[in-house]
């Protein structure tokens, strides 16, 4: 039965289920494992606070989401796969306004991250836009 994303426990289910898919994915899994290594607990906790802030309005996340991704060997197909798995996780487990908001936010993040990565790679710049 699908549920709405209303509480931290719902966010944790979303994050845990999604990253379980990512870790098993042939395209994304090796990239994440290479970067995160044995720090999965720390990464998942950061993702809980990020999505808790974005979806529930509980301001528990502080940081700059883009910068940790700047040196990752990713391109458009990686973002497309990331979104595919994220949407799949949402569709399988959740419904409602916050599930729709999560999809919208994820698509905008993927679009902006790809834009910024392309900009940095093409310009050789080290300054944020």
């Amino acid at each position: 039965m699908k549920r709405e994303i209303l509480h931290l426990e719902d966010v944790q289910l979303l994050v845990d289920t999604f990253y379980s898919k990512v870790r098993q994915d042939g395209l994304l899994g090796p990239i994440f494992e290479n970067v995160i290594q044995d720090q999965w607990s720390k990464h998942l906790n950061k993702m809980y606070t990020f999505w808790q802030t974005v979806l529930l309005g509980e301001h528990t996340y502080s940081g700059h989401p883009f910068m940790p991704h700047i040196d990752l060997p990713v391109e458009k197909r990686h973002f497309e796969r990331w979104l595919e798995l994220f949407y799949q996780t949402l569709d399988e487990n959740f419904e409602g306004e916050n599930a729709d908001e999560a999809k919208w936010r994820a698509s905008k993040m993927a679009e902006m991250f790809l834009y910024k990565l392309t900009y940095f790679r093409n310009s050789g710049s080290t300054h944020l836009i």
Side-chain angles (χ1 to χ4, degrees), residues 47-66:
M47 295 300 94
Y48 300 153
T49 63
F50 177 80
W51 286 106
Q52 181 182 21
T53 299
V54 169
L55 297 176
L56 304 180
E58 299 170 7
H59 299 284
T60 56
Y61 175 81
S62 63
H64 303 282
F66 175 71

Side-chain angles (χ1 to χ4, degrees), residues 14-66:
L14 167 62
V15 169
D16 290 344
T17 305
F18 170 66
Y19 280 103
S20 176
K21 291 177 187 287
V22 166
R23 291 180 82 172
Q24 296 173 26
D25 187 72
L27 181 64
L28 299 179
I31 294 169
F32 277 82
E33 291 294 338
N34 185 50
V35 173
I36 296 173
Q37 298 177 2
D38 65 349
Q39 299 294 311
W40 275 100
S41 178
K42 182 179 176 183
H43 179 71
L44 293 174
N45 282 322
K46 186 176 284 190
M47 295 300 94
Y48 300 153
T49 63
F50 177 80
W51 286 106
Q52 181 182 21
T53 299
V54 169
L55 297 176
L56 304 180
E58 299 170 7
H59 299 284
T60 56
Y61 175 81
S62 63
H64 303 282
F66 175 71

Side-chain angles (χ1 to χ4, degrees), residues 86-101:
F86 194 75
Y87 285 10
Q88 183 183 87
T89 302
L90 285 163
D91 290 341
E92 290 171 354
N93 298 284
F94 300 99
E95 62 186 3
E97 191 175 309
N98 281 343
D100 294 339
E101 180 74 11

Side-chain angles (χ1 to χ4, degrees), residues 71-105:
D71 292 323
L72 292 181
V74 294
E75 51 197 43
K76 185 176 182 180
R77 67 189 175 111
H78 296 94
F79 287 99
E80 291 170 344
R81 182 65 178 149
W82 183 89
L83 278 174
E84 181 182 351
L85 293 176
F86 194 75
Y87 285 10
Q88 183 183 87
T89 302
L90 285 163
D91 290 341
E92 290 171 354
N93 298 284
F94 300 99
E95 62 186 3
E97 191 175 309
N98 281 343
D100 294 339
E101 180 74 11
K103 286 181 182 179
W104 184 81
R105 296 283 186 133

